[in-house]
Amino acid sequence: EVKVTESGGGSVQPGGSLMLSCVVSGYDGRGPGSMAWFRQGSEKTREGVAAVDSDGSAAYGDSVKGRFTVTRDIAKGILTLEMRNLKPGDTDMYYCAADPGLYRPVLVPRLYDYWGTGIQVTVSS
């Protein structure tokens, strides 16, 4: 059974920093594929935040470029999102996604088969 588990998050004032971590397990020899962070927003489609593939190539959503950094430890199955200069607009539920069959850092939610349950990030003064 594949499990995706997020941790971190919380509340911070505007301009502050937070870190999110995600661990994927249970691939049973498949992968490593790609992993990504999405956030829910107010629309039905989740917004892509950052993704990284098995070669370490990364992609970012336009709204977070220059402020967020995604890194991955493939051996441990860990994905980390460092968020700096946070804004109230970054307040959202963040989800980690993983798929052992992807080989590019894609920010398309429907391409990922495995998801965490989400973790809240709140930016407020």
Side-chain angles (χ1 to χ4, degrees), residues 51-99:
V52 60
D53 65 14
S54 59
D55 292 330
S57 295
Y60 295 90
D62 289 340
S63 62
V64 307
K65 285 180 180 177
R67 299 188 298 122
F68 290 12
T69 302
V70 65
T71 56
R72 184 177 179 185
D73 184 331
I74 290 179
K76 296 180 179 178
I78 298 174
L79 183 72
T80 301
L81 183 68
E82 183 179 357
M83 304 182 290
R84 300 180 301 275
N85 190 21
L86 283 160
K87 305 174 181 180
D90 294 316
T91 295
D92 215 326
M93 185 72 78
Y94 285 70
Y95 296 88
C96 179
D99 196 291

Side-chain angles (χ1 to χ4, degrees), residues 37-49:
W37 288 99
F38 293 87
R39 59 191 185 188
Q40 186 61 51
S42 59
E43 303 297 328
K44 292 182 178 180
T45 301
R46 290 177 177 173
E47 176 189 1
V49 175

